[in-house]
Amino acid sequence: ENAKALVRQMLEPNPKLRLTAQQVLDHPWLQNAQKVPNIPLGDVVCTRLKQFSAMNKLKKRALRVIAEHLSGDEVEGIKDTFKKMDTDNSGFITYEELKAGLHKLGSQIPESEIQQLMEADWFCIRGESVQLVFQGD
């Protein structure tokens, strides 16, 4: 319950009421966390974390291989579509830009699937090259 209270105070929309960084560090829940004994996670948890990490590495490598083997025409097509959707020229596509871009292309993708696309690994234009941008990289 103490942790929930801390998070609620950290997410307070009003900056005058929101905790400062020092207040967060001084919060009883964080202070108590330093006193908690170091208990091993257990073999099952460690094994699952290792499997999860390995799958993410495999996924990233597979996407890199795919990106590296795109033809010049495919890369140009991706860059052109990306630039059309990136209306603020930030180099990243926001949810609203993706939604509007897909609508212009005549796509009938439901909003829930657009949200899933936003959460997935995605292509990003940097200069003249197409790169994969991975969450966590």
Side-chain angles (χ1 to χ4, degrees), residues 39-53:
I39 300 171
L41 293 175
D43 293 338
V44 173
V45 174
C46 288
T47 300
R48 289 187 179 160
L49 285 171
K50 288 177 185 175
Q51 289 172 339
F52 178 76
S53 177

Side-chain angles (χ1 to χ4, degrees), residues 12-81:
E12 169 62 46
N14 184 340
K16 292 180 181 177
L17 300 175
R18 189 179 313 134
L19 293 179
T20 66
Q22 189 60 52
Q23 288 172 317
V24 170
L25 292 172
D26 293 338
H27 192 276
W29 187 78
L30 281 179
Q31 294 301 314
N32 190 41
Q34 296 172 358
K35 298 173 189 169
V36 175
N38 189 5
I39 300 171
L41 293 175
D43 293 338
V44 173
V45 174
C46 288
T47 300
R48 289 187 179 160
L49 285 171
K50 288 177 185 175
Q51 289 172 339
F52 178 76
S53 177
M55 288 304 294
N56 279 341
K57 289 176 185 175
L58 176 63
K59 180 180 174 184
K60 288 178 182 183
R61 286 188 182 127
L63 288 171
R64 282 193 178 111
V65 168
I66 291 168
E68 289 169 1
H69 288 88
L70 293 173
S71 71
D73 289 342
E74 289 170 318
V75 170
E76 286 306 313
I78 291 169
K79 286 169 64 174
D80 184 50
T81 302

Side-chain angles (χ1 to χ4, degrees), residues 71-134:
S71 71
D73 289 342
E74 289 170 318
V75 170
E76 286 306 313
I78 291 169
K79 286 169 64 174
D80 184 50
T81 302
F82 189 101
K83 287 177 182 177
K84 286 178 183 174
M85 288 186 179
D86 183 24
T87 55
D88 65 357
N89 297 316
S90 66
F92 297 93
I93 297 176
T94 65
Y95 174 81
E96 291 302 322
E97 288 172 326
L98 181 60
K99 186 172 148 184
L102 290 171
H103 180 72
K104 285 180 186 176
L105 293 171
S107 175
Q108 301 297 322
I109 296 177
E111 288 203 28
S112 61
E113 290 183 28
I114 295 173
Q115 187 61 41
Q116 287 175 343
L117 286 171
M118 290 300 298
E119 293 167 1
D121 295 327
W122 201 247
F123 289 99
C124 177
I125 304 297
R126 303 230 183 205
E128 290 302 310
S129 65
V130 176
Q131 298 177 341
L132 285 172
V133 175
F134 297 102

